[in-house]
Amino acid sequence: YQASKIYQDIPVELQSDTLMAIVDGSTYIEDNNDGGPNESAWSNYDNAQAGDNTAELVFEYATQQRIAEAVIYFWRDGYSAEFPDAGATVLEVSEDGQNWTKVEATETIGEEESRVKPYTYSFSPVTATFVKIKVTNSTAAKTVAACTGITEVELNGAVGGGFTVNTAAGFESIK
């Protein structure tokens, strides 16, 4: 589902890399050899170095969505970015963007490929106009503060169960 707005809870002066990269359709992480913000991914690097080990990403939709799965593609590097610890990422949903409900999800951590690892969160279908992803940085020992990086987020719709879809619109007779 394509969100109408995406935002983060990190102050502007501490934002790192490119937030909109998480919805560009690519799970690939560029090497970013030219310096500056990585245009292929988002991270909370500057915020982590300032002492905050969490971040919240919020997806806002124009209309209510019915979702049953989230796939988050986390990335790592040889410096600060590290995959989050198992069970550390939390999903929440809301209708008004103020009152949030935690989603009870089953987390499945996929295989790493080219420094990117998918974490799949499966859950009973929920409806939401806002979806929040709360990440907590890895507890792995690093020479600098660990940060979390994401290349792509997929929020997938629930299949079936919503309403009956008929295949014909014919009627039998008119009297």
Side-chain angles (χ1 to χ4, degrees), residues 30-39:
E30 296 283 340
D31 287 335
N32 198 36
N33 293 326
D34 60 351
N38 189 320
E39 295 175 4

Side-chain angles (χ1 to χ4, degrees), residues 61-112:
Y61 294 90
T63 59
Q64 186 183 71
Q65 305 297 311
R66 187 167 184 264
I67 59 173
E69 181 185 72
V71 184
I72 305 171
Y73 294 85
F74 292 103
W75 61 274
R76 67 171 181 83
D77 61 18
Y79 187 61
S80 175
E82 191 60 62
F83 298 127
D85 298 340
T89 302
V90 175
L91 301 174
E92 293 182 346
V93 294
S94 174
E95 293 304 333
D96 59 9
Q98 302 297 317
N99 301 297
W100 296 91
T101 302
K102 181 180 177 183
V103 175
E104 296 301 327
T106 300
E107 178 183 70
T108 304
I109 301 173
E111 295 297 316
E112 179 179 351

Side-chain angles (χ1 to χ4, degrees), residues 9-37:
D9 72 336
I10 298 173
V12 173
E13 67 275 8
L14 293 176
Q15 291 178 8
S16 302
D17 298 315
T18 307
L19 180 61
M20 294 311 290
I22 67 173
V23 293
D24 68 0
S26 174
T27 62
Y28 184 73
I29 179 74
E30 296 283 340
D31 287 335
N32 198 36
N33 293 326
D34 60 351

Side-chain angles (χ1 to χ4, degrees), residues 86-146:
T89 302
V90 175
L91 301 174
E92 293 182 346
V93 294
S94 174
E95 293 304 333
D96 59 9
Q98 302 297 317
N99 301 297
W100 296 91
T101 302
K102 181 180 177 183
V103 175
E104 296 301 327
T106 300
E107 178 183 70
T108 304
I109 301 173
E111 295 297 316
E112 179 179 351
E113 186 175 324
S114 301
R115 299 187 296 133
V116 176
K117 186 183 286 191
Y119 286 50
T120 301
Y121 301 88
S122 303
F123 44 91
S124 296
V126 296
T127 56
T129 307
F130 296 84
V131 177
K132 182 188 292 182
I133 298 171
K134 298 170 80 171
V135 297
T136 300
N137 299 341
S138 171
T139 56
K142 307 289 274 181
T143 55
V144 296

